Amino acid sequence: MKKVRPMLHVFRNKPKYATVRTNKASQDTAEINSSHSGQTGDPQWTRCDNCSSLIYNKELYKNHFVCHHCGFYFRMSALERLQLLVDENTFQPAEPLVSVNPLDFPGYPDKIAQCQNLTQLDDAILIGEAKIEGYSCVLGIIDFGFIGGSMGSVVGEQITRGFEYGIAKQLPVVVVSGGGGGARMQEGIFSLMQMAKTAQAVGRFKQAGLFYLSVLTHPTMGGIYASFASLGDIILAEPKALIGFAGPRIVAETTRQKIPPDFQTAEYALRHGMIDGIVIRSEMKATIGKLLSLHL
Amino acid sequence: MKKVRPMLHVFRNKPKYATVRTNKASQDTAEINSSHSGQTGDPQWTRCDNCSSLIYNKELYKNHFVCHHCGFYFRMSALERLQLLVDENTFQPAEPLVSVNPLDFPGYPDKIAQCQNLTQLDDAILIGEAKIEGYSCVLGIIDFGFIGGSMGSVVGEQITRGFEYGIAKQLPVVVVSGGGGGARMQEGIFSLMQMAKTAQAVGRFKQAGLFYLSVLTHPTMGGIYASFASLGDIILAEPKALIGFAGPRIVAETTRQKIPPDFQTAEYALRHGMIDGIVIRSEMKATIGKLLSLHL
Amino acid sequence: MPTIFEWEKPLVELEEKIQELRNFVYEQGIDFKDELNDLERKADKLRKEIYERLTPWQRVRMARHPDRPTTLDYIKLIFDDFFELHGDRRFGDDQAVVGGIAVLDGEPVTVIGPQKGRDTKENIVRNFGLPHPEGYRKALRLMQQAERFRRPIITLIDVVGAYPGIEAEQRGQGLVIAECIEQMSFLEVPIICIITGEGGSGGALAIGVGDRILMLEHAWYSVISPEMCATILWKDVNKAADAAELLRLTSTDLLKFGIIDDVVTEPIGGAHRDHEGTGRQIKAFLRRHLSEIRKVPTDELVRFRLERFRKIGEYQTKKLSETQVEL
Amino acid sequence: MPTIFEWEKPLVELEEKIQELRNFVYEQGIDFKDELNDLERKADKLRKEIYERLTPWQRVRMARHPDRPTTLDYIKLIFDDFFELHGDRRFGDDQAVVGGIAVLDGEPVTVIGPQKGRDTKENIVRNFGLPHPEGYRKALRLMQQAERFRRPIITLIDVVGAYPGIEAEQRGQGLVIAECIEQMSFLEVPIICIITGEGGSGGALAIGVGDRILMLEHAWYSVISPEMCATILWKDVNKAADAAELLRLTSTDLLKFGIIDDVVTEPIGGAHRDHEGTGRQIKAFLRRHLSEIRKVPTDELVRFRLERFRKIGEYQTKKLSETQVEL
Ligand SMILES: [Zn+2]
Ligand SMILES: [Zn+2]
């Protein structure tokens, strides 16, 4: 067993040590290494997962990663999402943490290294302090490209520290979730326990009277949905995002019933009372800003 | 407007000034004036509302007002229910209150007088301190025979005082409800406001950490169900008791749908998660006693 | 085709006559100033007479006028901004109840109210403004959220009653009303309830427990609808007007009884004839009452709220001599 | 026809032989005492060898043995009295979760746990012990009730997982698990969770946040079932045994990791071979742990509970030199 940091270490308070390109800049450098869906191999072009149109990346950036042919929402990497949401040069990332291999699960370290390469992230989360429409907040973004956006010890710890930092600095927290299965199998029971740890972090944050906005993107499932992601004071979702606990295939196999056509979509969740609203991608930043302004 | 007592007047603390016949005694005087259902005019006999059998009242008393031919539960008067539930000579009724006619509703005073005659009660509630299986509690019983067991100012005030007395004396409260429509139309808005008053009394009682057991008998509907009766820490019901908000006829007229066969019965409420359990009449006293013993 | 009540007809005719005369004067260029002024004065007098003499039943019908503003209309009229929030996080999103965060004079408040439709299509979506349990659970969730963020709560009440349907009963309509009433009573934020149209029984009270309870002039609030009361009393729904008389359900009665705190006067002719004017009126009343109760410390607020309801009830203590009846 | 695992077979055969010999001795009246003692000793040795060597997968199968006591069996075995309470007061009464007030050494406690069926008919009623959201809401309601009355909470956990069904998803399976976890964390009463059989992922954790977390010797607790893990890793459900090995899901592993506080040893051969003995063991462990945490002041209890989970996680802080990558 590796010795781990036992207690509430909040975000570093040092000045920012990393900068993130803004929307404007990224339009000129569309070949940013990225893990959004539809990659073609050519850094200039992306293929629509839905209508198969080839889209010039500059266009895709301009259109917030929405296909202008068919309206399909591309899955965005955490870095792309960050650019979409935060005010220019305002993001200060948290102290970086990396996974260990607590179960000595075969192949796990390689997988981590691979994903770090692909996503340019230490783990499946990008988190830090940021400004959105001028309002300061803690912003966390789950990256699906990193082992399906699953929550191991690093994601759990970073989310928890994010809420603790929010309490310490009296800041609202915004988390953009998008994890496939939720749990990180390779960390076994440690992964499961992050559900408790993060849910408790949300609980303490709420007791401090602060505002937590949860934004669900495609897909938010399993242990991520069943912990911090569904505990927002307000929960928003992107259109058609898959939201649920059990995966649709497991549901189909278990129940052998006909699955409703929009099962587990954001629209389904809204109809069944589970989320507060659906917000289109181009309006997400303004909407988050507005909600932050209503909770000063 | 008549001037009314404005504040928290709890139960009188004087020694008991009324006695109630016990089960044992009543078997010898089966012709007690009563408002249980199935009255024939002959004080010795009752006709079963369900199977039409004529039943000798002594038998009926012995069998807790359950038809021994078909198992039908007779509606019991508050006095009969009292005899069923409380330990011999332990009931001390609360200070008696009587209705006024705040809206000058035509015919209301006559109706009150009639019901007082019929039920031997001042209004649709019998309430006081009692022992059940040796455990002290505040016990309130709604009498359906008094304008359908509806809640006017007197019922609302007595229920409220009951909970306040419970707080003052640190006693649990047991209320046996059974009101047809809940609201007493003749008292208009004053009747409606008793829902708020009693629900708040329950709220204050719960904040004091005390135990409230709600027992639902046939029928518990409308404003009584939608206030104190559904707020019990534990809610029990008699078999087949009608439980709901809107009357079944109104539901049928409004929805024009097929009404499920056991709609709004205790069994239906249990299945749909609204009550904790169904207890047969002969075991009600023992069950209440047990629950009181678990909340000392 | 706008709804015109029979008592509005002489007024509407006179108004039409004045308009005709005005057109005539304009076309011909002749001086009819005095005659027009006379007519206007006559119309004013008639208006006043008609609306001062309205029977309770006529006021019930005013409250139900199809052109009367709905909750979302009022929200637009009164507040600077509104962010609607959805769902009970349990079962569904009841469109018969709307709620969200609104801004009043720069301050966020939580606004909640049942929502009727304007036409058949809308009414189907809104279930004619009759809430299911999940509508009340949404209301309760938003109220608890408001408490967490110390936002005042404004409820706008216009509801015939909680929906009397099979599924509504199945999912605990009575129980949820009781829970709403109980929990609303203890919320540690200022609550203002405004009965804007119909205040139908438990379905209205469920979101009607506040520190100030206001009522629009031509709204009604009762333990039972006049129709149902007439059906019970005389087995004749057509006698609803008589029942409305008995039930004392007008704002005038309820102010006298001390059940409500203030009557928001409507523009002459009623809210349906002047949406903007009605909105301005409500806003003015809301501001005044809110600024008053904002000054009350939180714990006292809840204590006053409880005392307010604790006092309601009309009864007599029985003389002791009368109680010596052996039970 | 009782289920006999392949590794139990030599033992069962030997036990049968001993029984036969004993019958023979009894019938014939001859003295085979020494031989019998030898055989018993041999059986004891065999038992110990078998059960010390069990693989993780064998222990998973022990946890699923059809004769293993269910939650209601344990309640009967451990407590003096039990009053079952029903319903979530929202939607339904999920029979896959049982709960109520039980008495332990004269003191009331609240006991809650998923309930499997013993046969097909029972399993249909109990949905194979797979809870719907209303099951978790019932659990939460009873836990909040326990807090009001300062009753300790005991959860008995034996659940493959939350039910992955259409209606369960529709009514917020994920959301209710999150709510259970969050709210259980802050309850101001002692909570003891005992994993008695299967501890399947979020469906187990939803009622698994406590001050003491105990585990029966042959129970398992994991983020994912071995079968599903095998399917994901190797697309082959038959490799579940290998997955069970990787997941470190036994009581031995979890005690070492500090996830659980204590292992309740089972009678040799496992709980299914001796219900009473298992009940006595659990009761003894329960008493000891409960008496310890009853002494902790309430506010500290919650603080300790939060700190316990706050500490869980295995990671490293990245060296700063490595972080100077331009994002
Ligand atoms: Zn496309
Ligand atoms: Zn019969």
Side-chain angles (χ1 to χ4, degrees), chain B residues 205-207 209-212 230 232-236 270-277 287 290-291 294-295, chain D residues 81-94 101-103 107-109 141-142 145 148-149 151:
Chain B
F205 181 78
K206 284 185 180 173
Q207 289 186 344
L210 297 160
F211 176 54
Y212 167 33
S230 62
D233 290 302
I234 290 178
I235 305 178
L236 301 177
L270 182 66
R271 214 163 59 238
H272 291 294
M274 300 302 156
I275 61 175
D276 285 291
T287 305
K290 184 178 191 173
L291 285 173
L294 290 173
H295 290 87
Chain D
D81 205 350
F82 180 60
F83 192 92
E84 191 175 349
L85 300 170
H86 293 273
D88 66 345
R89 305 265 166 106
R90 296 281 176 272
F91 183 86
D93 181 46
D94 188 348
I101 309 172
V103 177
E107 296 283 337
V109 294
R141 178 175 83 81
L142 296 182
Q145 187 185 82
R148 263 182 41 58
F149 296 109
R151 280 197 293 266

Side-chain angles (χ1 to χ4, degrees), chain A residues 48 51 67 70:
Chain A
C48 176
C51 74
C67 174
C70 71

